[in-house]
């Protein structure tokens, strides 16, 4: 039964249209390929993708995606089939992505750094008909496809261009899908077991694009930094698809590096930056930062993990732009909540839900808790996934009565702003007291010698868990673990400060640059 709307909710239904998007009515795009077709008709010669000197226009992308659809049909791909894509951030990703969707198939994006057994799992679980894998370093893709009996096609730019040139340029006769059909299956990181495929529909993504455009104020001609992986929901939906919907350009960066990022911002006059906190930290603290002109930046959106307030404030001051914090997950398409540039922002908060989405903070029974009380973040709206692919039991545990239970702990204040405290699984319970790693990490980032930090719980015979911190020092800075521990001890309650502190050269990170707590190695004897 649908939930009864709560008049106290601080969100609204998503109105039709928006900046850079067609108004409501019969012409409103309903599927992801419709977004591309509409913009290609409006501004065909405008660039949509750039990779160094290589530039692809909207007309190019539209034509090549149509040819891709014909090519895939010739390979035997039928509407509803799953087609896996294992590519880095290159223009060919977008060509294949929109071509698969135009063929009526489902895109299964995969991290090109996956190893054989991980590729095998995703291919087998999705029942992929074809795997399109980047030609360089494809040995794991070859073996994964062999084990599952999946047809493998190596993607090499010149060969793909020649293949597509032989295909018809007109729209495919079959393959048209509806808004409720599955468009993409995104495999989660698998922190709680084998990766699960989150099914996102065309409507999920199109509505998220419309909301993302509003949050960022995107307009035709904007240049978006494309350093987030396109196989990931953040880079794919809020980067690529939002750009396609308004006539903006994504300047691609296959592998993030702070100096390369600063160079691209200067060279291409990037106006919109999308990134995870690590990216902001590395650019802000880089010793050569002052040598680059970043005056083109207008607005940035941070996601993937909470951004330390010191980093946010420092970035805004140094780069002269607005930094918005957003929140979401693959299962929410991904954007669910974000700050707004036209609304007072408080560092450390994630603002209010996007249009058409409701969020609540609930206790273990699912009852909403008072403002200021920590509870689980739950989400309801057009962005909630269709479900986990072929996992009805897991879906039923995660989506209850239309509400997506995120597993994240948060609060809501009297203004309606939400704040993420931590992942429920990252919560540290020391001697019966709850310690939220995010709170301790924010203090660590205030230390002038600390560039990056992460806080984890380690087993303790008396307290159950002990608070521990791994720290990366700024280049040229020095501080002992004892000094850092004392710094935090002066600023938090006695049960919160980390008794164990050690320095490392680097912290383990995932494909988006998000710190992976589960891979942090505690020094022996600690």
């Amino acid at each position: 039964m649908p939930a009864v709307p709560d008049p106290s909710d601080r969100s609204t239904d998503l109105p039709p249209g928006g900046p850079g998007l067609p108004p409501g009515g019969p012409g409103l795009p309903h599927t992801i390929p419709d977004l591309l077709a509409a913009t290609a008709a409006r501004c065909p010669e405008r660039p949509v993708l750039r990779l160094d000197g290589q530039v692809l226009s909207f007309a190019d992308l539209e034509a090549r995606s149509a040819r891709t659809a014909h090519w895939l049909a010739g390979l035997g791909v039928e509407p509803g089939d799953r087609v896996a894509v294992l590519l880095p951030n290159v223009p060919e990703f977008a060509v294949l992505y929109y071509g698969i969707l135009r063929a009526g198939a489902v895109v299964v994006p995969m991290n090109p750094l996956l190893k054989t057994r991980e590729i095998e799992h995703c291919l087998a679980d999705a029942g992929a008909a074809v795997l399109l894998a980047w030609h360089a370093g494809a040995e794991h893709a070859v073996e994964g496809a062999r084990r599952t009996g999946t047809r493998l096609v190596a993607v090499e730019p010149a060969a793909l261009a020649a293949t597509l040139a032989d295909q018809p340029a007109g729209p495919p006769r079959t393959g048209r899908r509806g808004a409720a059909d599955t468009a993409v299956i995104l495999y989660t990181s698998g922190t709680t077991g084998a990766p699960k495929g989150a099914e996102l529909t065309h409507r999920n993504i199109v509505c998220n694009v419309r909301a993302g455009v509003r949050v960022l104020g995107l307009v035709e001609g904007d240049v978006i930094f494309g350093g987030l992986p396109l196989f990931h929901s953040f880079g794919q939906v809020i980067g690529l698809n939002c750009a396609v919907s308004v006539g903006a350009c994504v300047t691609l960066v296959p592998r993030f590096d702070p100096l390369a990022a600063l160079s691209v911002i200067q060279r291409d006059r990037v106006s919109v930056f999308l990134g995870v906190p690590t990216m902001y930290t590395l650019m802000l603290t880089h010793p050569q930062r002052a040598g680059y002109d970043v005056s083109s930046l207008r607005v940035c959106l941070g996601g993937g993990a909470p951004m330390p307030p010191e980093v946010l404030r420092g970035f805004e001051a140094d780069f002269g732009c607005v930094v918005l914090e957003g929140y979401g997950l693959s299962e929410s398409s991904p954007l669910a909540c974000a700050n707004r540039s036209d609304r007072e922002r408080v560092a450390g908060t994630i603002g209010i839900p996007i249009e058409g989405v409701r969020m609540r903070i609930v206790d273990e029974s699912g009852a909403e808790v008072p403002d200021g009380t920590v509870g689980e973040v739950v989400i309801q709206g057009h962005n909630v996934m269709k479900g986990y692919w072929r996992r009805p039991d897991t879906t039923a545990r995660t989506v209850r009565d239309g509400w997506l239970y995120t597993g994240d702990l948060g609060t809501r204040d009297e203004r309606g702003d939400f704040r993420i405290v931590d992942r429920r699984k990252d919560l540290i319970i020391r001697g019966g007291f709850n310690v939220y790693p995010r709170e301790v990490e924010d203090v660590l980032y205030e230390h002038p010698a600390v560039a990056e930090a992460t806080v984890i719980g380690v087993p303790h015979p008396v307290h159950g868990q002990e608070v521990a911190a791994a720290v990366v020092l700024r280049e040229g800075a020095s501080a002992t673990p004892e000094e850092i521990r004392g710094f935090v001890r002066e600023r938090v309650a006695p049960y919160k400060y980390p008794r164990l502190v050690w320095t490392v050269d680097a912290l383990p990170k995932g494909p988006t640059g998000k710190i992976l707590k589960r891979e942090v190695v505690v020094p022996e004897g600690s």
Side-chain angles (χ1 to χ4, degrees):
M1 179 180 296
V4 177
D6 182 350
S8 68
D9 277 348
R10 300 158 171 96
S11 59
T12 61
D13 288 335
L14 184 66
L21 292 173
L28 182 67
H30 292 291
T31 69
I32 299 168
D34 290 340
L35 295 175
L36 174 58
T39 308
R42 188 175 72 249
C43 49
E45 301 309 314
R46 184 169 286 285
V48 59
L49 291 165
R50 181 186 300 274
L51 178 59
D52 297 327
Q54 183 181 1
V55 179
L56 204 64
S57 72
F58 277 92
D60 292 334
L61 183 56
E62 169 73 358
R64 294 185 195 186
S65 69
R67 293 177 184 272
T68 297
H70 286 288
W71 171 58
L72 291 172
L75 294 179
V77 173
E78 299 181 352
D81 280 352
R82 277 76 59 206
V83 178
V85 177
L86 195 73
L87 266 68
N89 277 20
V90 291
E92 288 76 15
F93 182 101
V95 170
L96 298 174
Y97 178 86
Y98 291 105
I100 293 167
L101 294 172
R102 289 193 69 167
V106 177
V107 183
V108 183
M110 296 165 62
N111 184 347
L113 298 179
L114 293 181
K115 303 300 184 184
T116 298
R117 64 188 300 273
E118 298 164 316
I119 294 171
E120 178 186 4
H121 168 77
C122 292
L123 293 177
D125 190 77
V130 177
L131 169 60
L132 305 175
W134 193 237
H135 64 100
E139 61 273 11
H140 292 290
V142 170
E143 180 59 19
R146 185 194 67 78
R147 292 183 183 183
T148 56
T150 306
R151 179 169 185 170
L152 172 70
V153 178
V155 178
E156 192 279 326
L160 179 64
T163 296
L164 296 184
D166 291 335
Q167 302 300 316
R173 294 181 180 180
T174 60
R176 176 70 184 177
R177 306 290 277 173
D181 287 318
T182 301
V184 177
I185 297 176
L186 293 169
Y187 276 85
T188 62
S189 58
T191 56
T192 56
K196 305 178 293 294
E199 282 189 81
L200 303 184
T201 67
H202 285 273
R203 181 175 185 268
N204 283 149
I205 293 176
V206 168
C207 288
N208 214 251
V209 164
R210 293 165 67 193
V213 165
R214 283 200 179 93
V215 166
L216 293 168
L218 286 180
V219 295
E220 184 175 312
D222 265 330
V223 179
I224 300 174
F225 181 80
L228 288 169
L230 294 178
F231 66 80
H232 190 273
S233 58
F234 192 180
Q236 183 187 130
V237 177
I238 307 303
L240 177 62
N241 280 313
C242 279
V244 162
S245 73
V246 299
C249 177
V250 178
T251 181
L252 295 170
V253 177
R255 184 183 180 90
F256 180 82
D257 171 84
L259 274 183
L262 291 167
S263 178
V264 166
I265 291 170
Q266 175 178 276
R267 183 195 70 194
D268 296 338
R269 306 299 294 164
V270 171
S271 55
V272 180
F273 185 90
L274 308 176
V276 297
T278 300
M279 294 180 177
Y280 291 90
T281 301
L282 292 176
M283 290 195 298
L284 176 64
T285 60
H286 198 282
Q288 298 181 41
R289 149 66 195 101
Y292 293 87
D293 177 8
V294 295
S295 60
S296 59
L297 281 179
R298 182 183 80 249
V299 63
C300 305
L301 181 64
M307 187 178 300
E310 289 296 311
V311 172
L312 187 151
R313 286 190 286 262
F315 199 94
E316 285 194 333
D318 188 60
F319 284 68
C321 59
V322 172
V323 179
L324 307 175
E325 281 200 85
Y327 167 76
L329 50 163
S330 296
E331 291 88 341
S332 64
S333 304
L335 192 60
C337 190
N339 284 300
R340 310 292 200 273
S341 56
D342 59 351
R343 185 175 179 273
E344 182 184 357
R345 293 171 293 122
V346 177
T349 68
I350 53 170
I352 57 176
I354 62 172
E355 296 94 335
V357 169
R358 304 162 72 197
M359 285 175 47
R360 289 177 174 169
I361 306 295
V362 302
D363 61 21
E364 294 184 356
S365 70
E368 191 167 12
V369 300
D371 285 349
T373 305
V374 174
E376 184 172 0
V377 179
V378 297
I379 302 167
Q380 184 190 67
H382 53 68
N383 61 339
V384 174
M385 66 174 179
K386 188 175 184 178
Y388 289 118
W389 174 253
R390 292 177 174 170
R391 283 178 167 79
D393 292 344
T394 307
T395 300
R397 289 193 297 271
T398 306
V399 182
R400 306 174 219 164
D401 296 326
W403 290 90
L404 173 66
Y405 283 69
T406 66
D408 289 324
L409 298 173
T411 62
R412 185 178 68 182
D413 63 25
E414 68 281 354
R415 296 178 64 249
D417 283 318
F418 286 79
R419 181 187 299 269
I420 299 301
V421 175
D422 245 309
R423 287 287 297 172
R424 182 181 293 277
K425 64 181 179 60
D426 292 335
L427 175 68
I428 301 168
I429 303 178
R430 182 186 188 275
F433 290 96
N434 290 349
V435 179
Y436 301 105
R438 163 76 189 280
E439 180 184 2
V440 183
E441 288 163 358
D442 284 349
V443 176
L444 285 165
Y445 275 97
E446 293 175 10
H447 192 288
V450 172
E452 290 187 290
T454 191
V455 172
I456 61 173
V458 297
H460 190 276
V462 177
H463 303 301
Q465 284 183 299
E466 189 55 272
V467 184
V471 173
V472 178
L473 298 180
R474 292 176 183 262
E475 186 173 338
S478 63
T480 66
E482 291 74 20
E483 290 170 346
I484 295 171
R485 181 166 55 245
F487 179 87
V488 180
R489 183 176 185 175
E490 293 175 357
R491 290 162 173 80
V492 299
Y495 65 89
K496 294 180 182 178
Y497 78 88
R499 268 63 173 182
L500 304 177
V501 178
W502 65 96
T503 59
V504 294
D505 293 332
L507 292 170
K509 298 183 177 72
T512 63
K514 182 178 178 180
I515 295 171
L516 301 177
K517 291 178 182 285
R518 67 183 182 276
E519 294 186 11
V520 172
V521 177
V522 181
E524 291 186 13
S526 298

